[in-house]
């Protein structure tokens, strides 16, 4: 019988090391292929996520011993992955490990989820001051968190988080969960959910200290969306932050909550703000309606401590040039209401037959009440219009204007790309210097309906009408035209209006006293922020509302950026009243609010 000697260990160790190196060389290029059957969708994704084998499957240098260890974990990991979805007694069959010809490990797992656990009891109780608060009484638990539905742990966690979130949002800063139990009986395939929260007392806004030297403190406080003594609400705190940010008076603003006063149940607030500086902007652009364009802007956001502001915009394109200046004075609610003196110089090639220029200056008043924004303006206008029917004519006139528009609930004065409804009424008469009496109304509407998470319906329309004494004497900027990227695609910008004839008998288009346009567009989301759309446009600038309308159809692509959607469309006219033939396909580039 051989005698064991410690002096033989190095030789045996060398031998074992050689065998290990040989084995390692054998699997140097081996990876793991995982085959799962029996589950799909979210169950399969969770199984794959929790499998240790998944994390090593593309490692070409995994050791055989490591594969064995990971393989032995698979049964428990699959069971753990199924429990959050209510499957507590699955049957998991893992086939023996094998290797293919390339020495890749093959792991086959067959899963039968078994009978799911169903919810039998859901008890959610609110105690304390919040027991009768609509914020809690109207809080609906997840749709599937009710007796008879399959248990999903995520629904239980969401219900628990919702209770705590509502408590902190609406000022129940001492709220505590007294009971949060998920009781599962796998043998009976049943589960009970018990949630109980004691909200404690509801806190109120305390005193607000303000650290800034930009505008008068009395005016600064008019930006606050809350009052001292009101119930604390994180939403009002955030709306105050947004209102101050959007004012453009400040480069930085911090609206912070102080330490709660547990004796008086108040929350002190502290606001710090630093002055904004003058801003300049400059940039090129392109639109299929306007062609190449250049835009430059200047803003002096704080002229004085009363919050007066000066804004100047200059834009030049192939068909239009304008300079717009506005001196704004905040009134009422300074976030939304203002009195302005507005000056505008504008020139535009409206059609091949009409050019128009205008200088205007006048006061305007803008006020928001609820979801309605009202505008009142009176402008002195010098307008010059040249067309092939009446030649060149000039007007000095005074034009009163009244407008109504919808704004989102809680609107804070931010720029809006579109409105559900926008109504404008303006006019003048000979007594105010006009060559012809007119009263003009324009109604625009745009809305996006989400049919499903990936399907959207865009509806857009405009109706314009006027009463006018002698239409050819009306300044060009008040006439209606149709066609273009935001009107009837497939037709050139402002190319749709009745055909008239000059003194030589030549056809000319000088606009119309009425307008109808509409759009139906269906968009489907695609991966990576892209989308595809198909649309139908119709409309025309017309003398009478029973005149025929033009129409077009098309398809387009969408690229959804954080704020806007960039669209490139190709449209084909299918009906063109008054034209000898249909125009060919036309590309349109448009930028619109994000769907």
């Amino acid at each position: 019988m051989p005698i064991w000697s410690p002096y033989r260990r190095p030789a045996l160790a060398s031998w074992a090391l050689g065998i290990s190196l040989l084995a390692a060389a054998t699997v140097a290029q081996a990876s793991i292929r995982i085959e799962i059957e029996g589950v799909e969708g979210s169950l399969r994704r969770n199984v794959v996520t929790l499998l240790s084998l998944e994390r090593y499957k593309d490692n070409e240098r995994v050791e055989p011993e490591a594969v064995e260890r990971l393989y032995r974990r698979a049964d428990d990991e699959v069971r753990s992955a199924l429990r959050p979805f209510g499957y507590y007694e699955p049957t998991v069959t893992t086939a023996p490990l094998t290797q293919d010809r390339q020495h890749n490990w093959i792991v086959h797992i067959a899963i039968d989820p078994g009978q799911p656990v169903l919810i039998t009891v859901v008890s959610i109780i609110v105690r304390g001051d919040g027991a009768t608060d609509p914020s809690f009484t109207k809080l609906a638990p997840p749709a599937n968190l009710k007796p008879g539905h399959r248990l999903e742990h995520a629904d239980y966690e969401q219900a628990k988080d919702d209770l705590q979130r509502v408590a902190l949002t609406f000022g129940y800063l001492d709220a505590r969960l007294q009971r949060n139990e998920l009781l599962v009986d796998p043998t009976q395939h049943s589960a009970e959910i018990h949630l109980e929260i004691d909200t404690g007392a509801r806190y109120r806004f305390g005193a607000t200290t303000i650290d800034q030297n930009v505008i008068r403190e009395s005016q600064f406080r008019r930006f606050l969306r809350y009052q001292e003594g009101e119930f604390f609400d994180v939403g009002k705190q955030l709306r105050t932050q947004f209102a101050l940010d959007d004012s453009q008076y400040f480069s930085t603003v911090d609206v912070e909550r102080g330490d709660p006063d547990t004796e008086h149940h108040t929350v002190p607030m502290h606001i710090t703000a630093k002055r904004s500086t003058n801003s300049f902007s400059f940039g090129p652009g392109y639109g299929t309606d306007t062609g190449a364009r250049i835009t430059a802007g200047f803003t002096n956001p704080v002229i004085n401590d009363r919050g007066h502001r000066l804004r100047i915009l200059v834009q030049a394109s192939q068909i239009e040039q304008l300079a717009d200046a506005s001196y704004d004075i905040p009134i009422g609610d300074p976030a939304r209401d203002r009195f302005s003196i507005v000056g505008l110089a504008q020139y535009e090639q409206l059609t091949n037959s009409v050019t128009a220029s205008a200088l205007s200056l006048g006061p305007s008043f803008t006020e928001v009440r609820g979801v309605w924004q009202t505008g009142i303006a009176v402008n002195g206008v010098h307008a010059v219009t040249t067309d092939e029917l009446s030649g060149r004519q000039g007007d000095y006139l005074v034009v009163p204007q009244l407008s109504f528009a919808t704004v989102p609930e809680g609107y804070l004065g931010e720029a809006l790309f579109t409105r559900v409804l926008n109504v404008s009424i303006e006019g003048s008469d000979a007594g105010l210097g006009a060559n012809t009496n007119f009263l003009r109304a324009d109604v625009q509407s745009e809305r996006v309906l989400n049919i499903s998470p990936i399907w959207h319906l865009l509806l857009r329309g405009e109706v314009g009408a006027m009463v006018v004494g002698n239409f050819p004497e009306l300044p060009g900027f008040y006439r209606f035209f149709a066609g273009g990227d935001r009107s009837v695609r497939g037709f050139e910008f402002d190319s749709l209006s009745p055909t008239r004839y000059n003194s030589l008998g030549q056809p000319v288009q000088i606009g119309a006293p009425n307008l109808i346009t509409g759009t139906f567009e269906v968009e489907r989301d695609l991966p990576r922020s892209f989308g595809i759309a198909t649309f139908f446009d119709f409309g025309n600038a017309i003398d009478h509302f029973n005149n025929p309308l033009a129409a077009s159809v098309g398809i387009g692509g969408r690229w959804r950026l954080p704020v806007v959607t960039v669209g490139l469309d190709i449209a084909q006219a299918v009906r063109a009243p008054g034209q000898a033939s249909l125009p060919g396909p036309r590309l349109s580039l448009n930028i619109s609010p994000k769907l």
Side-chain angles (χ1 to χ4, degrees):
M1 179 176 181
I3 299 174
W4 178 260
S5 168
Y7 298 103
R8 301 180 60 184
R9 289 180 182 176
L12 290 174
S14 299
W15 179 80
L17 178 61
I19 294 297
S20 298
L21 291 173
L22 180 61
T26 302
V27 299
Q29 299 300 318
S31 60
I32 304 170
R33 189 170 81 240
I34 303 171
E35 299 172 349
I36 299 174
E37 67 175 53
V39 291
E40 298 295 336
S42 56
L43 270 70
R44 179 185 178 88
R45 288 192 294 273
N46 207 46
V47 167
V48 171
T49 299
L50 292 187
L51 275 178
S52 299
L53 286 162
E54 177 70 17
R55 294 192 290 275
Y56 289 87
K57 71 175 185 178
D58 295 324
N59 190 337
E60 295 181 347
R61 304 194 65 82
V62 64
E63 300 287 346
E65 292 84 356
V67 175
E68 287 284 353
R69 287 197 301 273
L70 299 176
Y71 170 76
R72 288 194 294 270
R73 295 181 188 174
D75 186 279
D76 288 341
E77 291 173 342
V78 170
R79 294 177 186 276
S80 297
L82 296 181
R83 285 191 195 102
F85 297 91
Y87 297 99
Y88 276 70
E89 294 186 323
T91 300
V92 182
T93 305
T94 52
L97 279 172
T98 58
Q99 286 184 293
D100 60 18
R101 293 182 179 180
Q102 289 74 40
H103 303 290
N104 296 314
W105 297 100
I106 300 174
V107 179
H108 186 87
I109 304 174
I111 304 171
D112 179 1
Q115 184 176 345
V117 169
L118 301 181
I119 299 172
T120 56
V121 175
V122 177
S123 174
I124 300 177
I125 299 174
V126 179
R127 304 189 187 281
D129 287 2
T132 58
D133 188 333
S135 302
F136 287 101
T137 58
K138 294 181 179 179
L139 179 63
N144 292 326
L145 196 69
K146 58 183 63 174
H149 284 248
R150 176 169 55 84
L151 171 67
E152 290 204 29
H153 289 201
D155 291 337
Y156 163 73
E157 294 295 335
Q158 181 182 333
K160 182 171 64 175
D161 291 345
D162 285 347
L163 286 173
Q164 296 172 305
R165 173 184 54 79
V166 169
L168 292 175
T169 297
F170 294 102
Y172 299 96
L173 306 184
D174 297 329
R176 297 291 182 272
L177 281 173
Q178 301 295 316
R179 187 181 184 187
N180 56 303
E181 294 179 340
L182 173 58
L183 306 176
V184 179
D185 185 345
T187 60
Q188 297 298 318
H189 302 100
S190 66
E192 296 184 8
I193 292 171
H194 297 274
L195 292 171
E196 184 176 325
I197 188 171
D198 186 347
T199 66
R202 188 174 184 182
Y203 283 66
R204 296 176 181 268
F205 283 104
T208 299
T209 58
I210 298 172
D211 181 12
Q212 63 90 33
N213 59 1
V214 182
I215 59 176
R216 297 177 181 181
E217 182 166 324
S218 59
Q219 183 165 350
F220 190 101
R221 288 185 177 274
R222 283 156 52 196
F223 280 97
L224 305 186
R225 303 296 105 176
Y226 61 86
Q227 298 293 326
E228 183 176 348
E230 289 182 346
F231 285 123
F232 181 81
D233 184 336
V234 170
K236 293 182 179 180
Q237 177 186 351
L238 290 174
R239 281 168 43 77
T240 298
Q241 176 81 53
F242 298 151
L244 291 167
D245 284 337
D246 292 343
S247 74
Q248 301 180 15
Y249 292 151
F250 313 103
S251 59
T252 59
V253 178
D254 293 307
V255 180
E256 298 177 325
R257 187 183 77 183
D259 294 330
D261 182 337
T262 56
E263 180 180 354
H264 299 96
H265 298 108
T266 58
V267 182
M269 304 296 293
H270 182 67
I271 304 177
T272 58
K274 295 183 179 179
R275 184 187 186 93
S276 183
T277 58
N278 297 349
S279 64
F280 298 85
S281 62
F282 178 83
Y286 180 82
T288 46
D289 282 349
T290 62
R293 64 175 178 265
I294 295 176
T295 303
F298 166 78
T299 301
N300 183 341
V302 193
I303 293 177
N304 52 41
D305 65 359
R306 294 184 295 278
H308 295 194
R309 174 186 295 113
L310 175 65
R311 295 178 293 174
I312 299 175
L313 175 69
V314 178
Q315 188 173 78
S317 71
Q318 293 175 247
I319 66 168
E320 180 184 26
Q321 297 85 47
L322 68 84
D324 184 4
S326 176
Y327 188 91
D328 300 328
I329 301 172
I331 56 175
D333 182 343
R336 309 183 303 178
D337 306 336
R338 65 183 181 273
F339 173 81
S340 303
I341 302 296
V342 180
L344 176 66
Q346 188 175 12
Y347 169 85
E348 186 173 344
Q349 178 78 42
L350 293 170
T351 70
N352 293 333
S353 305
V354 184
T355 61
S357 63
L359 295 173
S360 68
L361 178 68
S364 70
F365 169 77
T366 304
E367 181 185 44
V368 174
R369 292 293 177 265
V371 296
W372 289 97
Q373 183 181 64
T374 303
I376 300 174
V378 179
N379 290 306
V381 180
H382 172 52
V384 176
T385 303
T386 302
D387 65 47
E388 295 184 17
L389 191 63
S390 303
R392 187 179 188 275
Q393 57 185 3
D395 265 344
Y396 290 92
L397 62 160
V398 177
V399 183
Q401 182 183 52
L402 178 65
S403 63
F404 302 94
T406 55
V407 294
E409 187 174 353
Y411 176 65
L412 295 174
E414 65 271 23
L416 297 176
F417 289 96
T418 186
R419 300 175 189 268
V420 174
L421 181 65
N422 192 9
V423 180
S424 174
I425 302 171
E426 59 190 339
S428 190
D429 66 19
L432 297 175
N435 287 341
T436 184
N437 300 333
F438 75 95
L439 180 65
R440 180 185 192 270
D442 188 20
V443 180
Q444 301 176 30
S445 181
E446 184 168 340
R447 189 168 185 180
V448 175
L449 303 177
N450 295 316
I451 303 172
S452 75
I454 62 172
W455 287 93
H456 314 283
L457 174 63
L458 167 66
L459 303 175
R460 182 170 60 227
E462 182 177 4
V463 176
M466 71 172 68
V467 178
V468 58
N470 186 357
F471 179 78
E473 293 185 355
L474 185 70
F477 286 119
Y478 300 110
R479 304 176 185 180
F480 287 115
F481 299 87
D485 298 342
R486 299 280 297 176
S487 181
V488 185
R489 285 164 287 190
F491 294 88
E492 292 185 6
F493 180 64
D494 283 357
S495 64
L496 291 173
S497 65
T499 300
R500 308 177 197 277
Y501 296 90
N502 61 20
S503 58
L504 300 178
Q506 299 169 328
V508 296
Q509 291 178 304
I510 63 168
N514 302 300
L515 173 75
I516 296 178
T517 66
T519 290
F520 295 90
E521 179 171 304
V522 177
E523 179 182 336
R524 187 189 190 282
D525 294 341
L526 298 176
R528 300 183 181 276
S529 299
F530 288 98
I532 188 169
T534 182
F535 56 86
F536 168 70
D537 290 348
F538 64 91
N540 207 346
I542 47 183
D543 287 326
H544 306 284
F545 282 105
N546 60 357
N547 292 160
L549 303 180
S552 65
V553 296
I555 59 172
R558 301 290 181 267
W559 181 27
R560 293 177 295 279
L561 299 173
V563 177
V564 298
T565 296
V566 178
L568 183 63
D569 299 325
I570 181 168
Q572 173 60 56
V574 295
R575 186 180 184 188
Q579 298 188 20
S581 61
L582 294 176
R586 179 175 172 83
L587 285 174
S588 293
L589 174 67
N590 60 79
I591 299 177
S592 59
K594 184 179 179 180
L595 294 180

